[in-house]
Amino acid sequence: MPLLAVILLKLQGWMDHRDSEREDFQEKQYVDVDDIRDMLKILRQNFSTQTLKSQKWMPRSFVNAAKARVDEFVEAFPDTMEYWWDIGFVV
């Protein structure tokens, strides 16, 4: 699976864990953040051609939902904005 799609799925997991009422799920959000940061760096260094434009196979509904999640992630972690911009997200 392309790394960009994996990052967007991980981003969904981050929000689900963050918003969960279960304490064990809430604890997982911190691992999710570290994973997302690491994957963003790997994507930039090794797969810079993977962008929203190059990954048109992803369903539009999935990408639209990801845009809202990216906005929330960048609000919480503004230092990641440039990485998301490189992928094609306007944040």
Side-chain angles (χ1 to χ4, degrees):
M1 176 177 271
L3 187 57
L4 179 54
V6 175
I7 291 172
L8 299 183
L9 287 171
K10 189 68 165 179
L11 189 62
Q12 180 178 351
W14 167 72
M15 286 190 69
D16 291 345
H17 291 145
R18 182 195 66 182
D19 297 342
S20 177
E21 293 182 16
R22 290 181 48 177
E23 188 175 323
D24 59 325
F25 282 7
Q26 290 176 3
E27 291 173 9
K28 293 180 180 185
Q29 70 177 307
Y30 306 106
V31 174
D32 294 333
V33 170
D34 290 341
D35 290 347
I36 291 167
R37 287 177 179 277
D38 289 344
M39 286 189 283
L40 284 169
K41 290 175 186 173
I42 290 168
L43 187 67
R44 178 188 265 180
Q45 293 171 354
N46 301 308
F47 302 97
S48 60
T49 59
Q50 282 192 33
T51 65
L52 290 178
K53 288 182 181 179
S54 71
Q55 302 296 304
K56 292 188 181 283
W57 62 269
M58 292 188 291
R60 179 67 18 214
S61 59
F62 178 69
V63 173
N64 287 340
K67 288 178 181 182
R69 293 182 185 113
V70 167
D71 287 342
E72 285 195 45
F73 194 86
V74 169
E75 187 174 321
F77 307 99
D79 61 303
T80 65
M81 181 170 49
E82 188 176 314
Y83 291 93
W84 295 109
W85 185 266
D86 289 348
I87 296 169
F89 286 96
V90 178
V91 291

